[in-house]
Amino acid sequence: MKKITLYILSILLLMSTNGCNDEEFFTLSNPPEDPWLKLNDFERAPVGAYFLAFRKGSWDNLIGGTRLLKSTQGDNLQLLPGTSANIPFNEMYGRMANIEIDKTRNAFVTAYQIIASCNTALDFIGENDGNPFPNASNADIENNLRRIEGELYFMRGYAYWILTSIFLPPYELGGNSESGLLPLRLSFEDNFEGAKSPEMGTGSEIYAQILVDLNKAKSLLPERFDASLHHPSYEFGRANRFTAAAMLARVYFMMERGEEAIQELDYVIDQNGGDYDLSEDPIEAFNKDNNGRGKEVLWYALYYDPVNRVGPDELSSITLRRQVTTGANTFQRCTWNQFTISYHTLGKVGWMEDPLNGNYTLTENALQDKRFNQLYRKLEGYNSNPDADPFIFETIHAEVKTPMVWCDKYYRGQEIGVLANIPVIRLAEMYLTRSLLRLRSGDTGGATNDLNMVRERAGIGPLLGDISEETIDNERIKELAFEGDRIDYLRSAKKPIPGGDRGVQVEPFSSGSFVWVLPQSELDLNLNY
């Protein structure tokens, strides 16, 4: 089995800008004992992968950085006038994908750390013929070891999905899916030559591996936590079979395999045994500062721990609140915001009368929509009066002269120092994806029913008139803006990407403006580049 210390040193080798040219780097004078002596110890393996993804640091996790990057590239957001912060907002908003920035570099490093962590544990299972714990009961092997194995495959597939969405062109049948290369690491390398010369994968090969990993995960994971069978740590924030199916649906959608995507979506939406539905208000997915989850949340990142207070601080760039809230009826503002919802979008979805021409009046569509009222907030232009009501006026950013609509989905903990959990996959997304795919397959009735499930939960009633791709597109914006969905959705649906308020032309979904350069450290250390 590969030693944990070797794993840590190898990660430093691969991910640091400081290379090492000596095989002795891998030589340990006092190798540690295997850390997973019992099955209960092995629970740390998937926990470590979740930790790397969501909690290893406030400024380098796969929630904050990737959502900020993907949201700001889309047409949904506008850059505030006079903004200033130590964040590459111009590069992201300007879609300058030929420039290395810390958001893409951190995503690359973190994703490969997750992959290495999962590979180490999967190798351990494989080297022991699938059962490193012969003294464990058959029930524990089936319900915990196999479940842990499923989580490891899931997290490896998820990490590769993040990498493809940032560093590779979108998958195209008969298109450029062979272009671009990423390290395809499927086992842990414990020697210098292997570490610096990994197997490389084209886009189609990486996507194929993601499908392998997620399908293995789906076959191994249980549908839900069972206290009589599973380790207690599995209860909160961990992947299950429905989570794996939801990720498979995302990947099949990108790969233009609509029938297979619909099969996964049918399973998630219609066969979840009542675990997930849209019976609660939209805000309930975002306001949990305890170990609970909203009824529609398929997978979430836990941030409610008031002791080890690590949260996705990068989201402060795109949300009204700052990291520390002050209770249910007030909030603290952030002084380094950069983005609000674009006027282009507010007009497109019918939430403002004509903002591009100076009419910022909210429409009845907005005023009746629970999503707008619960998860967004309109503020009038800057008011310098110290007694100005912060629920009505902009009171922080002096150059914001016109009304803006802010995202208010994040940092909604009700106690000082407690953050709310963040949903990673929600059921509303599944309905909207299936709606589009059903419409494209000719199932207009099914597409309309799916769209209306989301609309009726939002309190705006069923669609009046014929359904179209544009109506689905607009509903998806209202539902998923600021959650990092827009670019992934447009590339998956093979739709052009508008410029929004940037004043630039529409770009094709395959544009290189959304394919970011690899970190220079990887180019320097990896001999295959």
Side-chain angles (χ1 to χ4, degrees):
M1 164 190 170
K2 311 302 186 292
K3 309 302 182 186
I4 284 298
T5 301
L6 271 176
Y7 152 61
I8 295 171
L9 291 175
S10 184
I11 289 297
L12 292 174
L13 167 73
L14 295 172
M15 305 306 179
S16 165
T17 56
N18 298 317
C20 177
N21 297 311
D22 194 339
E23 189 75 31
E24 292 180 0
F25 181 84
F26 288 92
T27 302
L28 299 178
S29 57
N30 295 292
E33 294 297 320
D34 290 347
W36 300 315
L37 300 178
K38 298 180 295 184
L39 181 53
N40 275 351
D41 297 331
F42 199 42
E43 202 72 39
R44 300 171 187 169
V47 168
Y50 295 113
F51 175 85
L52 288 168
F54 304 134
R55 295 190 61 86
K56 75 167 188 170
S58 295
W59 295 94
D60 59 352
N61 59 73
L62 292 187
I63 290 288
T66 57
R67 287 197 174 189
L68 176 61
L69 174 72
K70 293 179 179 183
S71 295
T72 55
Q73 290 181 105
D75 56 316
N76 290 348
L77 275 65
Q78 63 171 309
L79 181 63
L80 294 178
T83 189
S84 176
N86 187 26
I87 292 173
F89 50 84
N90 282 320
E91 290 84 350
M92 294 185 295
Y93 190 65
R95 301 171 175 175
M96 302 177 190
N98 61 325
I99 299 174
E100 180 181 340
I101 60 175
D102 63 340
K103 306 309 168 201
T104 56
R105 180 172 60 252
N106 290 343
F108 185 92
V109 170
T110 299
Y112 276 109
Q113 286 178 334
I114 295 167
I115 290 165
S117 175
C118 292
N119 285 342
T120 304
L122 289 169
D123 287 352
F124 176 61
I125 296 173
E127 290 165 2
N128 289 277
D129 299 321
N131 183 11
F133 308 105
N135 294 326
S137 68
N138 290 335
D140 262 348
I141 294 300
E142 179 65 25
N143 296 303
N144 287 302
L145 179 58
R146 297 282 82 85
R147 184 259 308 161
I148 289 171
E149 186 178 8
E151 289 185 89
L152 294 169
Y153 280 118
F154 174 82
M155 288 303 293
R156 188 170 74 178
Y158 175 70
Y160 273 119
W161 167 256
I162 293 293
L163 291 165
T164 63
S165 69
I166 296 173
F167 299 104
L168 291 181
Y171 191 96
E172 292 182 78
L173 291 175
N176 62 351
S177 299
E178 298 301 316
S179 64
L181 288 172
L182 285 174
L184 183 55
R185 299 182 182 273
L186 301 179
S187 62
F188 180 83
E189 294 290 350
D190 63 351
N191 64 85
F192 186 73
E193 291 302 319
K196 69 181 182 180
S197 300
E199 179 183 350
M200 303 297 289
T202 64
S204 59
E205 290 169 338
I206 298 290
Y207 275 101
Q209 185 59 49
I210 294 172
L211 291 180
V212 168
D213 283 351
L214 293 179
N215 274 299
K216 284 182 178 178
K218 185 183 175 187
S219 70
L220 292 167
L221 289 169
E223 290 190 331
R224 58 190 58 84
F225 170 77
D226 185 331
S228 67
L229 300 175
H230 301 133
H231 190 281
S233 68
Y234 182 60
E235 185 172 4
F236 305 113
R238 306 274 285 271
N240 61 28
R241 191 174 300 166
F242 296 112
T243 315
M247 279 303 306
L248 278 167
R250 284 181 174 180
V251 179
Y252 285 134
F253 181 28
M254 170 63 80
M255 297 179 73
E256 301 179 76
R257 294 166 64 169
E259 290 185 7
E260 289 159 289
I262 288 175
Q263 289 176 5
E264 300 297 336
L265 293 165
D266 288 347
Y267 173 65
V268 172
I269 295 170
D270 302 325
Q271 301 171 44
N272 69 59
D275 289 353
Y276 311 99
D277 60 40
L278 297 182
S279 60
E280 296 178 331
D281 278 356
I283 196 173
E284 296 301 324
F286 297 91
N287 64 1
K288 298 296 184 289
D289 56 6
N290 51 42
N291 57 23
R293 65 167 178 85
K295 280 281 288 181
E296 69 158 320
V297 177
L298 291 154
W299 187 33
Y300 61 102
L302 290 89
Y303 290 114
Y304 66 87
D305 187 349
V307 177
N308 182 20
R309 188 181 170 277
V310 174
D313 287 357
E314 286 153 313
L315 292 177
S316 56
S317 290
I318 59 173
T319 195
L320 182 74
R321 299 165 189 257
R322 62 174 297 173
Q323 297 99 318
V324 179
T325 58
T326 57
N329 298 316
T330 187
F331 56 88
Q332 292 183 354
R333 291 295 304 281
C334 179
T335 59
W336 59 84
N337 299 119
Q338 286 96 51
F339 299 96
T340 57
I341 194 165
S342 67
Y343 289 139
H344 158 85
T345 294
L346 290 167
K348 170 179 165 60
V349 303
W351 275 358
M352 270 188 179
E353 291 289 354
D354 190 9
L356 291 174
N357 291 303
N359 185 347
Y360 307 108
T361 304
L362 294 179
T363 65
E364 284 301 311
N365 287 335
L367 296 174
Q368 293 173 7
D369 197 315
K370 291 181 180 180
R371 293 165 300 191
F372 184 88
N373 291 309
Q374 296 177 5
L375 299 172
Y376 301 90
R377 187 183 295 271
K378 178 190 176 187
L379 294 180
E380 301 297 327
Y382 180 73
N383 189 328
S384 61
N385 188 329
D387 295 324
D389 189 343
F391 284 91
I392 298 175
F393 296 100
E394 174 60 57
T395 58
I396 298 294
H397 302 286
E399 294 192 41
V400 175
K401 306 296 186 183
T402 55
M404 297 279 184
V405 174
W406 293 81
C407 167
D408 198 13
K409 292 182 175 181
Y410 301 113
Y411 310 130
R412 302 192 65 99
Q414 300 302 297
E415 298 180 20
I416 294 176
V418 178
L419 299 174
N421 300 326
I422 293 180
V424 183
I425 305 177
R426 297 197 286 120
L427 194 63
E429 175 197 339
M430 303 292 104
Y431 272 108
L432 291 166
T433 298
R434 192 171 71 173
S435 180
L436 178 71
L437 293 175
R438 280 178 160 178
L439 183 64
R440 287 181 170 182
S441 72
D443 181 7
T444 303
T448 303
N449 289 338
D450 282 343
L451 183 69
N452 283 338
M453 288 293 296
V454 177
R455 289 178 56 90
E456 291 180 11
R457 194 272 294 267
I460 57 176
L463 177 69
L464 301 177
D466 296 333
I467 192 172
S468 67
E469 291 201 10
E470 184 179 9
T471 58
I472 298 171
D473 184 51
N474 287 343
E475 214 60 52
R476 191 168 185 126
I477 291 172
K478 290 183 279 188
E479 187 69 40
L480 295 166
F482 298 89
E483 296 180 51
D485 172 76
R486 182 66 169 163
I487 292 298
D488 287 350
Y489 164 67
L490 293 174
R491 296 172 97 204
S492 296
K494 308 301 182 277
K495 290 174 173 285
I497 301 174
D501 290 3
R502 294 171 182 80
V504 301
Q505 295 298 313
V506 172
E507 297 192 63
F509 68 87
S510 56
S511 169
S513 297
F514 310 99
V515 182
W516 289 79
V517 296
L518 297 176
Q520 188 60 47
S521 58
E522 177 68 13
L523 299 177
D524 291 341
L525 289 169
N526 189 331
L527 298 183
N528 292 317
Y529 287 115

